[in-house]
Amino acid sequence: LTVAFGYGLPEYRTFVLSLRRHYKGETIIISDAGAASEASQLCVAHNVTMLHVDMAPKLFRHTRFSRFAELCHLPEHYCLSIDFRDSFFQADPFSNIDLLGGRTERGMPPDLLLSQEGVATWPHSGYTLGERWMQKSWVEQCFGKETAAAMQAWPTIC
């Protein structure tokens, strides 16, 4: 699951083709209504669903996580929210979950998994979720205030 507003065919090719080399499951790209027809054709050819949103990108970025929650509501499958422009897949994005046997260290299925590529970079470096009001509000909107409070000391990841 990703958001792609204002991108052309080269970015779609990088994302879709690298993903499909390793993962064949359900994939959704939320896009602006003006997405190039070539990008739409590429997605159709590789079984990627494009959902067009008629909303300004600046407005959508504040509501995207509630939309993700709507799309990722089935408990029997995993859902990954990932950057679009700078993602290149070198393996199945769910392979590490399978290595855990689909369980956390407490033996329960995970509700939320986060990953981080090395040290978070500007402007997030050195901050916790409790110090970043916007990121904290996104977690609250999707998972509730109790979860956000439990995560307030966690480092912010970009």
Side-chain angles (χ1 to χ4, degrees):
L1 178 62
T2 191
V3 177
F5 280 30
Y7 295 109
L9 185 58
E11 292 86 2
Y12 275 86
R13 289 179 57 81
T14 297
F15 185 91
V16 171
L17 297 180
S18 69
L19 175 65
R20 286 302 187 227
R21 279 188 205 107
H22 307 287
Y23 177 73
K24 304 297 182 203
E26 181 180 12
T27 302
I28 300 171
I29 297 176
I30 300 173
S31 175
D32 56 316
S37 64
E38 296 91 359
S40 296
Q41 292 171 8
L42 176 74
C43 289
V44 168
H46 292 278
N47 195 29
V48 173
T49 302
M50 285 185 78
L51 297 179
H52 295 289
V53 176
D54 190 20
M55 183 183 289
K58 286 186 178 184
L59 295 175
F60 186 74
R61 75 176 181 197
H62 296 293
T63 63
R64 67 183 170 180
F65 293 107
S66 59
R67 184 62 194 243
F68 292 173
E70 292 170 12
L71 294 169
C72 296
H73 68 280
L74 299 175
E76 66 273 4
H77 73 269
Y78 298 115
C79 186
L80 173 68
S81 165
I82 193 163
D83 288 342
F84 177 79
R85 183 186 56 81
D86 59 355
S87 293
F88 182 88
F89 297 90
Q90 297 176 322
D92 180 338
F94 297 103
S95 62
N96 285 338
I97 295 172
D98 293 338
L99 290 174
L100 294 172
R103 302 281 177 199
T104 66
E105 57 275 356
R106 290 175 285 180
M108 300 296 294
D111 288 330
L112 175 64
L113 296 173
L114 302 174
S115 64
Q116 180 176 352
E117 46 183 273
V119 176
T121 57
W122 181 91
H124 306 286
S125 182
Y127 290 100
T128 65
L129 186 68
E131 296 169 317
R132 305 290 294 189
W133 68 269
M134 186 177 293
Q135 286 83 354
K136 183 179 177 185
S137 70
W138 292 337
V139 173
E140 286 177 351
Q141 289 172 15
C142 291
F143 303 103
K145 290 184 181 206
E146 185 177 309
T147 299
M151 295 171 59
Q152 71 181 356
W154 291 18
T156 304
I157 58 176
C158 60

